[in-house]
Amino acid sequence: MYLKVRNLSSHYGSNLSLEGFSEIRSASIGDDSKELGSSFFGMISSLLFGFPVLAGLLAVFYSKVLSSRTLLVLNGMFIIGALSSFMTGGRFTAFTFLLMYLFARAIGPVKLKKKVKYLLMVAVSVFIIISSQIFLDRIGERDISQVAYLLKLCQPKPFAEKLLSINPNLVTLTIYFEYYVAHGVNQLDVLLSAPDPQNFPYWGAYQLKTFVIMFNKLGFDIINSTEITAEIINPGVYFTEIGAMYLDFGSFFSVIVTFIFGVLLGIVWKRYLVLKTLSDFFLSIIFLSLISVSSIVSLVGAGYFSAIIVSALFVIIFDLLYPLPVTE
């Protein structure tokens, strides 16, 4: 990591921009040999990246009974995990961390104090501002002539025209936001209109790519994400949760799997309301996070989400063997 930052620093000079940090991650993702050549222990470390999320949720769930020092350590682990992801370009990972923490606070056993609400509002605002700055770093300064054609894409138009009069980059930023929110449905239409890929369906290999890499290290021969992206139309875009399910399970079984997800959410949520266990709390947050952004992106398909699944399995197994205390 240090070498990567140093190399970028020499490339950008003394003024290392936010774009530079983002390029660390982009360069790693684009290196196909890295996927195939990384060590087995490297895969294991990737699958353990979800434990900072668990630390933050533990701090929320047991905030009534844990000492202030323990809460400080747990919250510190959560913040360090989110920041380390964010500073290496993983904005969506940091967004997921923040989203899950917000759901934890919303359904957790302790009502939010005004001070905590303000802190969360500040955290969300800072995240949006820095993400916007990363995007603006990438596109550079633009004048009116370069972005005027985008006005027809902005809604409402009077608002877009006002932004244009203030700063042309704000119009581009508005398009960026609208694109992230709405392009998943558009790309889903593109996906369903295109011919099916050669090895379709992928039976989980599209979304659970990190597990696929690990199993292939153990001697299995499962199609990997590099081979999948070479087959599908518009690789690198979001297809919504429905699109990801379609690629993995086809038309019929994607409906069945989605139905099973809904049933499991109902069971887990009912158990949490009655039993108040940590495992049900964690699983409820995972399902709520998946549903809240399902019209945009498949969180399951994000590489880091495999690590969150591993941490959830750890909690479930530990809770079965050594029942954790419940909270009221």
Side-chain angles (χ1 to χ4, degrees):
M1 177 66 188
Y2 169 73
L3 292 176
K4 289 181 179 180
V5 173
R6 188 177 66 179
N7 290 338
L8 279 173
S9 181
S10 63
H11 175 71
Y12 283 97
S14 58
N15 296 321
L16 184 61
S17 68
L18 289 171
E19 178 191 7
F21 284 108
S22 184
E23 285 193 6
I24 298 175
R25 179 170 175 269
S26 298
S28 296
I29 291 175
D31 182 5
D32 294 343
S33 63
K34 189 180 183 70
E35 174 187 304
L36 302 175
S38 56
S39 69
F40 176 77
F41 293 105
M43 292 297 98
I44 296 297
S45 66
S46 297
L47 290 174
L48 296 179
F49 189 67
F51 281 87
V53 176
L54 176 57
L57 301 189
L58 280 171
V60 174
F61 192 71
Y62 289 122
S63 57
K64 286 184 177 181
V65 297
L66 294 176
S67 66
S68 57
R69 180 177 297 180
T70 303
L71 290 175
L72 180 63
V73 171
L74 290 173
N75 283 317
M77 292 172 61
F78 175 81
I79 293 172
I80 290 172
L83 286 177
S84 64
S85 169
F86 192 87
M87 294 307 292
T88 52
R91 285 166 293 154
F92 205 77
T93 307
F95 166 77
T96 306
F97 275 41
L98 186 58
L99 179 66
M100 295 183 71
Y101 190 82
L102 290 173
F103 274 125
R105 284 294 185 179
I107 70 172
V110 179
K111 291 184 178 180
L112 284 177
K113 298 179 181 179
K114 284 188 177 180
K115 183 179 179 180
V116 177
K117 288 182 180 179
Y118 291 143
L119 287 174
L120 289 175
M121 289 173 63
V122 169
V124 173
S125 300
V126 169
F127 176 83
I128 293 173
I129 291 171
I130 296 179
S131 295
S132 300
Q133 187 58 53
I134 290 175
F135 175 73
L136 293 177
D137 278 351
R138 285 177 170 176
I139 65 173
E141 289 296 325
R142 296 191 173 189
D143 56 35
I144 292 179
S145 63
Q146 291 176 299
V147 300
Y149 75 97
L150 294 173
L151 284 177
K152 62 183 179 180
L153 303 176
C154 293
Q155 297 295 334
K157 281 186 172 57
F159 174 70
E161 292 171 354
K162 181 65 175 177
L163 291 179
L164 186 63
S165 66
I166 299 172
N167 188 332
N169 276 342
L170 293 178
V171 176
T172 311
L173 194 61
T174 303
I175 293 295
Y176 162 77
F177 176 77
E178 292 180 355
Y179 174 79
Y180 260 67
V181 171
H183 90 284
V185 175
N186 177 62
Q187 291 300 325
L188 173 63
D189 179 63
V190 173
L191 173 67
L192 297 179
S193 301
D196 290 335
Q198 180 180 351
N199 293 296
F200 167 88
Y202 299 112
W203 303 113
Y206 175 73
Q207 296 185 82
L208 301 176
K209 55 181 72 70
T210 307
F211 289 116
V212 169
I213 297 172
M214 186 185 69
F215 281 120
N216 284 345
K217 289 294 176 185
L218 294 174
F220 290 85
D221 186 21
I222 306 172
I223 187 170
N224 60 54
S225 60
T226 302
E227 295 168 329
I228 292 174
T229 54
E231 293 185 356
I232 62 176
I233 190 170
N234 291 354
V237 300
Y238 303 146
F239 294 116
T240 74
E241 183 67 51
I242 295 175
M245 289 292 184
Y246 173 77
L247 283 171
D248 268 337
F249 303 106
S251 303
F252 177 75
F253 286 104
S254 61
V255 175
I256 300 299
V257 173
T258 303
F259 175 76
I260 293 172
F261 265 42
V263 172
L264 288 177
L265 170 60
I267 294 173
V268 168
W269 180 246
K270 185 175 181 180
R271 279 176 53 87
Y272 171 64
L273 293 178
V274 175
L275 301 178
K276 302 290 185 183
T277 64
L278 175 63
S279 56
D280 292 321
F281 175 68
F282 197 177
L283 290 174
S284 295
I285 292 169
I286 290 176
F287 279 119
L288 289 171
S289 300
L290 290 173
I291 291 173
S292 65
V293 296
S294 60
S295 62
I296 303 173
V297 63
S298 165
L299 280 187
V300 180
Y304 61 85
F305 208 80
S306 297
I308 295 177
I309 295 173
V310 169
S311 61
L313 291 174
F314 174 83
V315 172
I316 293 171
I317 294 171
F318 193 89
D319 207 4
L320 289 173
L321 297 177
Y322 309 98
L324 297 167
V326 299
T327 184
E328 298 296 336

